[in-house]
């Protein structure tokens, strides 16, 4: 990870609602603009990280453009899955759910076929999308599957993230939460 990617990542946090936000918006905006000024020379991961920064800043149209370019530059299945998930988020956050869903579905298909270690990430974001799309019953099914996958991985932060999302999905259908 480049120094700029690391700085961008450090300026983004996840709120109680599971969405990314900028902890220092002005600083993040300057850093993202600096990166995008040299967009043609950015590596795919650097471009993707700049797109994530734009999501955290709420600059969704620009994030969609940047992340679509990151998808087209992806050289590996892992890069394609990550960029598709982020592009899906760039549509989901402002409520463009019809545009987001096929991106998550494509990320899941690629993960299943070519990058199984990324499947839990793709399914997690799809589950969050399903909550937003008012399909919480399906979200509960998907996120319960993700929870099992992440428990096998044993990463406490990933498990907690999925438990939070699963609780939100269950709350949306009136089930007991975790």
């Amino acid at each position: 990870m480049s120094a700029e990617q690391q700085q961008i990542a450090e300026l983004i946090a996840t709120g109680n609602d599971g969405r990314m936000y900028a902890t220092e918006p002005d600083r993040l905006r300057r850093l993202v603009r600096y990166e995008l000024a040299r967009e043609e020379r950015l590596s795919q991961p650097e471009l993707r990280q700049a797109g994530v920064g734009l999501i955290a800043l709420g600059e969704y149209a620009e994030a969609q453009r940047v992340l679509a370019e990151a998808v087209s530059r992806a050289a590996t299945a892992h890069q394609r899955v990550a960029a598709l998930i982020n592009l899906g988020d760039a549509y989901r956050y402002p409520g463009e759910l019809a545009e987001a869903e096929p991106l998550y579905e494509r990320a899941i298909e690629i993960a299943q076929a070519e990058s199984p270690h990324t499947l839990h990430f793709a399914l997690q974001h799809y589950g969050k999308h399903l909550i937003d799309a008012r399909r919480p019953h399906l979200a509960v099914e998907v996120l319960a599957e993700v929870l099992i996958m992440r428990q096998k991985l044993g990463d406490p932060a990933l498990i907690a993230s999925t438990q939070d999302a699963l609780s939100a999905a269950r709350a949306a259908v009136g089930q007991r939460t975790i």
Side-chain angles (χ1 to χ4, degrees):
M1 183 178 284
S2 73
E4 289 81 8
Q5 282 178 279
Q6 182 64 35
Q7 289 175 26
I8 290 172
E10 290 171 357
L11 295 171
I12 299 171
T14 303
N16 292 336
D17 60 358
R19 291 176 182 251
M20 297 178 289
Y21 67 92
T23 57
E24 296 179 45
D26 292 337
R27 188 169 163 218
L28 179 59
R29 188 171 286 105
R30 282 191 305 273
L31 187 56
V32 167
R33 293 291 166 231
Y34 169 80
E35 285 288 89
L36 292 177
R38 54 190 196 95
E39 183 174 335
E40 297 78 30
R41 296 185 309 272
L42 293 178
S43 69
Q44 192 272 353
E46 291 169 325
L47 184 62
R48 186 177 71 80
Q49 188 67 21
V52 170
L54 290 166
I55 293 172
L57 290 165
E59 297 180 21
Y60 303 120
E62 181 71 357
Q64 292 163 5
R65 182 195 68 75
V66 168
L67 291 165
E69 178 62 22
V71 170
S72 73
R73 288 191 198 179
T76 66
H78 179 93
Q79 287 181 348
R80 278 192 305 281
V81 169
L84 284 165
I85 291 168
N86 295 143
L87 183 55
D89 286 350
Y91 282 102
R92 177 173 62 91
Y93 278 35
E96 298 174 42
L97 303 177
E99 292 81 1
E101 186 153 348
L103 297 166
Y104 294 126
E105 290 171 341
R106 198 159 112 214
I108 292 166
E109 290 170 5
I110 294 167
Q112 288 171 327
E114 302 173 50
S115 185
H117 64 281
T118 63
L119 182 58
H120 63 101
F121 286 111
L123 289 170
Q124 171 91 2
H125 285 260
Y126 180 59
K128 290 178 179 182
H129 162 77
L130 292 169
I131 296 169
D132 289 354
R134 297 192 170 129
R135 297 191 334 233
H137 287 88
L138 184 53
V140 167
E141 290 177 28
V142 169
L143 292 166
E145 180 182 344
V146 174
L147 183 58
I148 292 167
M149 296 167 83
R150 288 184 165 182
Q151 286 170 332
K152 288 179 184 175
L153 291 173
D155 184 320
L158 293 176
I159 293 167
S161 172
T162 303
Q163 287 173 330
D164 290 346
L166 186 54
S167 289
R170 287 181 172 154
V173 294
Q175 294 181 356
R176 198 174 106 242
T177 59
I178 299 173

